[in-house]
């Protein structure tokens, strides 16, 4: 029988009806599915060790082969645990093999059997050399375990590993019928080998050299690049099909405009700010719409760069929208812009708490173009908001700016330019994967004269000393934040730790002005509290993470974070960034009794990009982005950190294809790529 990728698993050698059913339940219905089911590791069983030499190999896995001299199952008296013991002998010596709680082995391994065993010799607590919980296989003559590199697959049902290998081995006969979704010319441009040999090599590696083990072999590169390229090209195609229109507006930056910008600036821009400003200005003047991500550490000065971009757009006769994630931030931006630009630009605020009259004025002003800059929350995206000529949309402090929001913005203007700013730095690897269709500008420098924020980790028992210090600081004129780890504020009951903390703080600081803030408060009340804090009428603000993003109160110099282990490092960094904004010595104290190592690392690291990298390694992309639906970041074979160079390559080729081959061709390629399964190497 010839096997093709459509051959059902039940027709494969070694797969009877029961195993076939288990495979199907795991989503593996055909030979083609099995071809894409890749091993997650390998065992080199080519070089068996003589049992006499086992003692020299403790703590490294070895392959042994021998005959079972005795096999017996007994139950420990104390814990009633089943212990199965085998003595294996190979003519040079004997060694004891032990399995716990696997009583069924008694029926499977018997005296006289010949076994290939793969496991790690250890000295037991009784000083005996033995191998616990070894992988084993019976062998006769030239069995596969007899000197091979063995692929290890994730378990499917209760199919024994060896049987699974046999079934998959049969499925590999279908490889010649596999259709390569990358045409030869594309393979050449990507510099990758054909799909069938790549998959074959991953199932049956010819050798286990470093390139292979570190997933750098030509076979791995082929499959990882295919996965990344599919994403990058799909992102680019989506973007290109949305932007069929080129911009009709012509933006010019002349000397007069440059002089105005200089006048407005209260300080000199850093080198990094100048560089990214140039990148943005070039985009604004190009006929292709800008879609750019502006990254920078907390306090690196992203806002001013965005504002200059706004001035350029406004002076060229178009409107600008600035979207903030919260009303507090929108208000803060509004105030700062008013301060910076005086009356030279007509600025309006758009929030959910506007009165009917204010709303009417806003709608009319945006429609007839009188309002040049609208600052607001996502309320700005509502359908009834219509701009006369929206040229630029700035999205501030947004971890995830979705396609849907972008489309709404596009619908509001003549393909507006878009600038997205992130709250905390995202590692380049993650930015490429998540925002692969955005151009990237990075401010990698802080303005001069920044305070170093002293960071310390304290146990809950030590909190009194921290309070004492806060009290001294307040006497000296400082203000403090105390933050509780309430992230999900939708449930009222979840606020309990905060309200208890608030009461406790008031009791501990009877002579201080203490206030509380959380996301469930009415916007006006939040705003009022924030303004009072800004005016110095509150000494201690007890809050949830609503103060996390962007809040700028220069006199606040103490940040106390309770149960800090519940936060990701990037989020802690964002919170820490709320202090150190003025001239005062600033402090951040983390209170926790868990995860001391991680938090101590944090205390030592002041650079947000480094912390983001660390966070990505320790907690993964989902946690870093503060979102559980980071499905797009979970690649099935590639790894965003390890394989960043391949991600860049994939992105570059995706851009090239859109530009040289056109969107229609690119779309066809994407469809083909999306039509095939993504090879997965899953460890359950
Ligand atoms: P973030 O990048 O976190 O949004 P901001 O834009 O809020 O940072 O800037 C942080 C603070 O630094 C603000 O008070 C801002 O006025 C100030 N700032 C920005 N750029 C400079 C600069 N080049 N020199 C001095 N201060 C600056
Ligand atoms: Mg900011």
């Amino acid at each position: 029988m010839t096997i093709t990728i459509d051959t059902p698993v039940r027709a494969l050698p070694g797969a009877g009806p029961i195993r076939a059913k288990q495979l199907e339940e795991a989503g593996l219905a055909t030979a083609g599915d099995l071809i894409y089911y890749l091993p997650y590791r390998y065992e080199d069983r080519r070089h068996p060790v003589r049992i006499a030499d086992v003692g020299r190999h403790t703590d490294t896995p070895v392959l042994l082969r021998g005959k079972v001299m005795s096999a017996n199952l007994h139950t420990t008296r104390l814990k009633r645990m089943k212990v199965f013991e085998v003595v294996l002998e190979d003519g040079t010596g004997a060694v004891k093999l032990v399995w716990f709680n696997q009583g069924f082995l008694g029926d499977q391994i018997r005296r006289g059997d010949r076994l290939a065993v793969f496991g790690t010799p250890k000295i037991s607590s009784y000083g005996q050399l033995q191998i616990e919980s070894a992988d084993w296989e019976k062998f006769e003559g030239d069995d596969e375990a007899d000197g091979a590199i063995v692929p290890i697959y994730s378990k499917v049902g209760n199919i024994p590993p060896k049987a699974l290998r046999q079934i998959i081995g049969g499925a590999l006969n279908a490889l010649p019928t596999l259709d390569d979704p990358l045409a030869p010319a594309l393979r050449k441009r990507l510099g990758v080998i054909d799909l069938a040999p790549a998959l074959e090599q991953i199932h049956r590696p010819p050798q286990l050299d470093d390139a292979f083990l570190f997933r750098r072999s030509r076979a791995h590169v082929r499959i990882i690049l295919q996965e990344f390229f599919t994403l990058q090209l799909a992102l680019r195609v989506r973007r290109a099909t949305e932007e069929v229109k080129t911009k009709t507006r012509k933006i010019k930056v002349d000397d007069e405009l440059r002089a105005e910008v200089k006048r407005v600036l209260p300080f000199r821009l850093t080198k990094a700010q100048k560089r990214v400003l140039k990148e943005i200005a070039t985009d604004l003047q190009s006929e292709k719409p800008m879609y750019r991500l502006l990254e920078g550490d907390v306090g690196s000065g992203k806002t001013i760069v965005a504002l200059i971009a706004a001035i350029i757009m406004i002076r060229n006769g178009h409107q600008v929208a600035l979207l903030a994630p919260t009303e507090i931030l929108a208000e803060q931006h509004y105030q700062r812009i008013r301060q910076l630009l005086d009356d030279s630009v007509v600025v309006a605020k758009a929030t959910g708490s506007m009165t009917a009259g204010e709303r009417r004025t806003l709608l009319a002003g945006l429609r007839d173009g009188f309002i040049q800059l609208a600052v607001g929350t996502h309320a700005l995206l509502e359908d009834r908001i219509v701009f006369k000529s929206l040229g630029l949309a700035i999205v501030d402090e947004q971890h995830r700016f979705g396609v849907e929001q972008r489309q709404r913005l596009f619908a509001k203007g003549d393909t507006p330019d878009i600038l997205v700013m992130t709250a905390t730095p995202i590692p380049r690897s993650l930015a490429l994967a998540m925002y692969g269709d955005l151009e990237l500008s990075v401010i990698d420098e802080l303005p001069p004269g920044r305070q170093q924020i002293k960071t310390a980790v304290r146990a809950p028992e030590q909190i009194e000393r921290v309070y004492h210090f806060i009290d001294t600081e307040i006497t000296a004129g400082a203000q403090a934040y105390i933050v509780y780890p309430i992230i999900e504020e939708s449930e009222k009951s979840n606020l309990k730790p905060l309200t208890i903390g608030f009461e406790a703080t008031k009791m501990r600081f009877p002579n201080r002005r203490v206030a509380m803030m959380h996301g469930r408060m009415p916007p006006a009340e939040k705003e009022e509290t924030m303004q009072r804090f800004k005016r110095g009428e509150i000494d201690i603000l007890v809050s949830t993470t609503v103060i996390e993003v962007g809040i700028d109160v220069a006199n606040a110099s103490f940040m106390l974070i309770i149960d800090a282990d519940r936060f990701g490092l990037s989020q802690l960094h964002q919170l820490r960034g709320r202090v150190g904004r003025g001239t005062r010595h600033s402090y951040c104290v983390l209170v926790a009794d868990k995860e001391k190592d991680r938090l101590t690392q944090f205390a030592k690291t002041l650079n947000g990009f480094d912390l983001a990298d660390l966070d990505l390694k320790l907690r993964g992309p989902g946690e870093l982005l503060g979102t559980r639906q980071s499905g797009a970041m979970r690649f099935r074979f590639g790894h965003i950190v390890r394989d960043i160079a391949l991600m860049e390559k994939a992105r570059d080729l995706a851009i090239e294809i859109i530009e040289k081959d056109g969107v229609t061709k690119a779309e066809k390629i994407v469809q083909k790529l999306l039509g095939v399964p993504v090879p997965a190497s899953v460890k359950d």
Side-chain angles (χ1 to χ4, degrees):
M1 185 190 90
T2 44
I3 293 175
T4 73
I5 51 166
D6 297 320
T7 303
V9 285
R10 84 189 93 83
L12 294 173
I18 296 173
R19 287 176 184 166
K21 190 153 172 275
Q22 294 185 339
L23 288 166
E24 281 159 16
E25 276 166 7
L28 303 165
T30 63
D33 295 336
L34 288 174
I35 285 177
Y36 285 108
Y37 193 71
L38 301 179
Y40 65 89
R41 70 180 175 92
Y42 304 88
E43 277 170 11
D44 191 345
R45 300 185 179 177
R46 288 170 302 182
H47 311 291
V49 163
R50 289 161 17 120
I51 291 180
D53 296 334
V54 163
R56 289 199 261 131
H57 293 271
T58 46
D59 298 325
T60 49
V62 292
L63 171 68
L64 306 174
R65 300 167 55 198
K67 200 162 155 187
V68 176
M69 302 306 287
S70 69
N72 79 83
L73 182 65
H74 63 92
T75 306
T76 57
R77 239 188 282 151
L78 218 55
K79 289 188 184 158
R80 312 290 315 155
M81 181 162 51
K82 289 222 161 85
V83 180
F84 184 58
E85 290 185 346
V86 162
V87 174
L88 193 73
E89 201 266 351
D90 73 346
T92 70
V95 68
K96 197 201 262 179
L97 314 174
V98 186
W99 289 268
F100 302 100
N101 286 327
Q102 298 192 45
F104 57 87
L105 288 178
D107 297 327
Q108 299 181 353
I109 299 179
R110 300 188 187 234
R111 204 176 139 198
D113 284 346
R114 281 154 57 76
L115 295 188
V117 170
F118 191 81
T120 308
K122 285 202 164 68
I123 310 288
S124 76
S125 42
Y126 301 104
Q128 249 189 344
L129 184 68
Q130 63 182 35
I131 302 181
E132 292 175 12
S133 314
D135 277 2
W136 61 276
E137 262 158 34
K138 291 189 198 177
F139 75 92
E140 287 141 41
D142 49 14
D143 188 273
E144 65 156 2
D146 187 3
I149 295 169
V150 179
I152 308 295
Y153 298 94
S154 288
K155 242 180 145 43
V156 178
N158 64 5
I159 302 175
K162 187 173 159 188
L164 184 59
R165 284 200 292 275
Q166 189 201 353
I167 297 167
I168 293 175
L172 291 184
N173 289 315
L175 276 171
T177 66
L178 195 66
D179 188 24
D180 196 328
L182 290 172
L186 263 178
R187 294 204 289 270
K188 209 161 158 206
R189 281 162 88 176
L190 275 168
V192 295
I193 62 171
D194 297 6
L195 181 59
L199 288 169
E200 169 147 40
Q201 280 171 36
I202 286 177
H203 284 287
R204 295 175 168 155
Q207 72 253 332
L208 286 182
D209 52 10
D210 281 358
F212 197 89
L213 290 172
F214 290 108
R215 301 196 170 208
R216 279 287 161 275
S217 73
R218 285 152 62 80
H220 287 96
V221 167
R222 154 70 210 223
I223 291 171
I224 296 168
L225 259 180
Q226 177 176 328
E227 186 174 20
F228 288 174
F229 179 63
T230 306
L231 169 78
Q232 295 293 337
L233 193 62
L235 286 172
R236 291 282 160 177
V237 165
R238 192 182 65 199
R239 176 172 164 186
T241 43
E242 277 171 10
E243 298 171 350
V244 274
K245 289 190 292 179
T246 48
K247 302 184 284 194
T248 51
R249 59 179 171 273
K250 296 261 180 299
I251 302 298
K252 275 220 228 56
V253 182
D254 55 18
D255 287 344
E256 195 186 330
L257 185 46
R258 281 197 196 93
E260 180 182 355
V261 167
K262 273 222 178 85
R263 263 200 316 280
V264 167
L265 276 178
F267 37 64
R268 291 167 75 101
L269 293 181
T270 61
K271 246 202 237 130
Q273 283 172 317
K274 280 190 194 149
R275 190 187 61 236
V276 303
L277 187 57
K278 210 171 191 176
E279 290 165 355
I280 293 168
T282 308
D283 280 0
L284 296 181
Q285 294 169 83
S286 131
E287 65 173 21
K288 279 195 297 183
M290 171 169 81
Y291 192 28
R292 189 171 278 281
L293 180 70
L294 176 56
E295 273 210 78
D297 207 341
V298 178
S300 62
K302 296 180 285 282
T303 318
I304 192 78
V305 171
L307 282 185
I308 297 171
I311 295 174
I312 294 174
M313 188 55 66
I314 290 165
R315 290 299 176 241
N316 277 274
H318 302 279
Q319 293 164 294
V320 175
L322 172 53
L323 269 68
T326 64
E327 297 215 355
I328 296 178
L329 266 187
E331 177 67 32
Q332 180 178 295
H333 276 310
Y334 177 74
Q335 300 294 349
R336 202 190 284 168
I337 291 168
R338 293 298 306 267
Q339 218 176 5
L340 222 54
L341 302 183
D342 300 326
D343 293 334
S344 62
V345 169
V346 182
V347 188
K349 211 170 25 165
T351 62
S353 48
M354 286 178 289
T355 64
E358 286 169 332
R359 175 165 288 135
R360 264 198 306 277
T361 317
L362 176 79
L363 291 180
L366 288 175
R367 199 179 303 112
D368 70 15
F370 175 70
I371 295 173
Q372 296 168 300
L373 174 56
V375 184
T377 57
H378 279 59
L380 273 175
L381 293 176
E382 282 168 24
D383 285 337
R384 54 183 172 186
I385 299 231
V386 178
F387 290 82
K388 176 157 186 256
S389 171
L390 178 63
L392 170 66
I394 301 162
V395 185
D396 187 26
E397 313 282 14
Q398 182 74 348
H399 260 332
R400 261 188 102 77
F401 179 64
V403 193
E404 196 196 324
Q405 288 150 329
R406 183 154 54 108
Q407 278 160 353
R408 277 168 178 238
L409 273 174
F410 276 143
K412 288 192 184 300
D414 162 30
T415 326
D417 291 302
I418 296 178
L419 183 66
V420 179
M421 300 193 281
T422 61
T424 38
I426 307 177
R428 186 169 169 74
S429 52
L430 199 53
L432 275 172
M434 190 168 76
Y435 293 112
D437 49 347
L438 277 74
E439 270 58 60
L440 198 58
S441 283
V442 181
I443 304 183
D444 49 7
E445 178 185 8
L446 291 179
R450 269 294 143 79
Q451 290 290 323
Q452 292 247 318
I453 301 159
K454 285 213 179 73
T455 310
V457 186
R458 294 286 179 263
E461 306 85 72
Q462 297 168 298
I463 200 157
E464 179 44 41
R465 284 171 57 190
V466 181
Y467 282 154
H468 184 77
F469 187 71
I470 292 179
D471 208 41
T472 325
E473 287 294 299
I474 294 175
T475 303
Q479 289 166 281
Y481 297 102
I482 300 182
V483 174
Y484 282 81
I486 292 147
I487 297 149
E488 203 68 58
E489 291 188 48
S490 49
E491 298 271 323
K492 210 167 203 159
S493 56
N494 289 344
L495 285 174
K496 219 166 160 193
L498 176 77
T499 47
I500 293 172
F502 175 54
E503 293 306 323
T505 310
K506 278 197 292 193
M507 265 189 324
R508 173 60 186 78
F509 297 94
N511 303 320
R512 304 297 184 192
R513 296 160 300 175
V514 183
M516 175 169 73
M517 195 167 77
H518 58 77
R520 281 179 59 92
M521 273 159 55
E525 208 174 305
K526 261 190 293 189
E527 184 43 46
E528 167 67 17
T529 308
M530 210 52 229
Q531 289 305 336
R532 276 171 50 220
F533 189 63
K534 250 187 185 168
R535 290 195 298 263
E537 296 165 16
I538 294 168
D539 301 308
I540 303 175
L541 187 60
V542 182
S543 167
T544 64
T545 52
V546 289
I547 60 128
E548 177 187 347
V549 276
I551 299 294
D552 197 13
V553 178
N555 192 51
S557 60
F558 202 104
M559 169 64 65
L560 175 61
I561 304 172
I562 308 293
D563 290 338
D565 54 283
R566 305 252 315 263
F567 293 103
L569 300 184
S570 291
Q571 206 176 7
L572 288 172
H573 184 61
Q574 180 59 229
L575 285 168
R576 177 168 61 184
R578 299 307 107 220
V579 297
R581 306 202 137 231
T583 48
R584 288 185 176 283
H585 284 297
S586 297
Y587 306 88
C588 175
V589 175
L590 313 177
V591 175
D593 53 4
K594 286 191 277 273
E595 301 201 28
K596 282 275 171 56
D597 286 349
R598 192 169 65 93
L599 299 178
T600 308
Q601 281 263 32
F602 171 79
K604 282 193 288 202
T605 314
L606 291 173
N607 181 310
F609 282 96
D610 294 345
L611 284 171
D613 278 339
L614 203 61
D615 227 7
L616 184 59
K617 264 185 221 130
L618 295 176
R619 295 178 32 131
E623 293 290 346
L624 179 57
L625 300 172
T627 160
R628 263 157 241 114
Q629 19 122 290
S630 58
M633 297 317 111
R634 216 168 294 124
F635 292 98
R636 303 196 65 192
F637 199 72
H639 186 282
I640 57 170
V641 179
R642 182 191 65 205
D643 303 322
I644 177 169
L646 295 178
M647 185 68 88
E648 283 177 345
K649 190 168 178 183
R651 188 183 74 145
D652 291 348
L653 186 66
I655 294 172
E656 186 191 301
I657 284 180
I658 296 274
E659 281 174 2
K660 282 201 192 143
D661 306 37
V663 183
T664 321
K665 175 101 185 280
E667 223 170 343
K668 281 202 185 109
I669 298 172
V670 168
Q671 264 157 17
K672 189 128 195 236
L673 282 164
L674 290 175
V676 300
V678 181
S681 177
V682 250
K683 172 82 188 95
D684 28 21

